[in-house]
Amino acid sequence: MKRSLPTRCIETLLGWGGSLTGVLLFVALWEWGSQLYGSFLLPGPRDALAALARLWQADALAAVWATTWRAMLGFALAAVIGTALGILAGLSRTLGRALEPVSTVLLGIPPIAWIVLAILWFGSGSLATVYTVMATSLPVSFAGAQMGALTRDRRLQEMADVFAVPPLMRLVDFHLPHIASYVFPALITALGVAWKVAVMAELFATEDGIGAGLAMARVNLDTAAAMAWIVLVVALLLAAEHGLLRPLQRRMEPWRQTGRGAR
């Protein structure tokens, strides 16, 4: 049953209302913690916003752009390579047995170790940050794609064999819709990892970006500025998730929207 425009608008507002409630609860707890421990240890939301306004006037946009392209480039490389290898590993048992231990080892290496290795291999700069983001995000996207390929419907596989469906059509029409339901949650997790690791790598490997801003706030003992940078990182992460991955997921999984409309 197709929903009318007013119904969709009401559902959207209710959905945003639920999210807004969670945000307001978090802000209230944040303010309570600031009142409990003092603004020096934990600046409140108003202190963080005031510091963010000062940073913005001091050309924080350049730092935002530097961190954004490093994080998104590393994430994009990890998403493409990890998803492709994960699908192949899930479709081929031999390749899966060969790549799965490698993925486990990569996932077990701490991000700080990747940062140190990247600095030794590439020196300080953007390349070290992009490489670290890719190395830490790739196993997550690989695991999601592999699990999706491993759990595909065997009955569809049998039907494709009976009707001699070409391999490309079999992959696109039969396997990818199911694999996508595993890939996108993994990519959302990998995106969060990418942003965190990018900031951490910038803290050690670059002289610009949000990580460098956090390093400067640490040197100056400016807790409010540190909280402002953290708020900015979270805002960028949410914008990337809801502005890029969620819309792409809705386009790739239209049957989910149809199922919700039927209810």
Side-chain angles (χ1 to χ4, degrees), residues 52 55-56 60 64 210 227-237:
L52 183 58
L55 292 173
W56 204 258
V64 169
I210 294 177
M227 293 299 297
W229 285 119
I230 292 171
V231 168
L232 195 54
V233 170
V234 173
L236 291 171
L237 172 60

Side-chain angles (χ1 to χ4, degrees), residues 224-261:
M227 293 299 297
W229 285 119
I230 292 171
V231 168
L232 195 54
V233 170
V234 173
L236 291 171
L237 172 60
L238 292 176
E241 177 183 337
H242 293 280
L244 176 64
L245 284 183
R246 295 293 186 181
L248 183 59
Q249 183 179 17
R250 286 193 290 268
R251 288 184 63 87
M252 292 289 293
E253 300 179 344
W255 63 89
R256 294 187 184 274
Q257 307 304 317
T258 303
R260 291 171 185 169

Side-chain angles (χ1 to χ4, degrees), residues 2 10 21 27 32 46 54 72 76 107 123 125 138 154 170 176 193 198 207-208 219 232 255 261:
K2 189 175 181 179
I10 292 173
T21 301
V27 171
W32 175 78
R46 288 170 293 182
R54 293 195 303 270
M72 295 306 294
L107 192 60
L138 190 148
R154 302 296 177 181
R170 183 178 305 194
L176 283 185
V193 172
E207 296 181 355
D208 59 349
V219 171
L232 195 54
W255 63 89

Side-chain angles (χ1 to χ4, degrees), residues 197-219:
V197 171
V199 173
M200 185 188 303
E202 288 178 341
L203 190 67
F204 296 99
T206 66
E207 296 181 355
D208 59 349
I210 294 177
L214 280 170
M216 186 60 65
R218 179 194 61 187
V219 171

Side-chain angles (χ1 to χ4, degrees), residues 113-125 128 131-132 201 204-206:
W114 282 118
I115 295 171
V116 173
L117 290 175
I119 293 174
L120 292 174
W121 290 339
F122 308 112
S124 299
Y131 176 81
T132 304
F204 296 99
T206 66

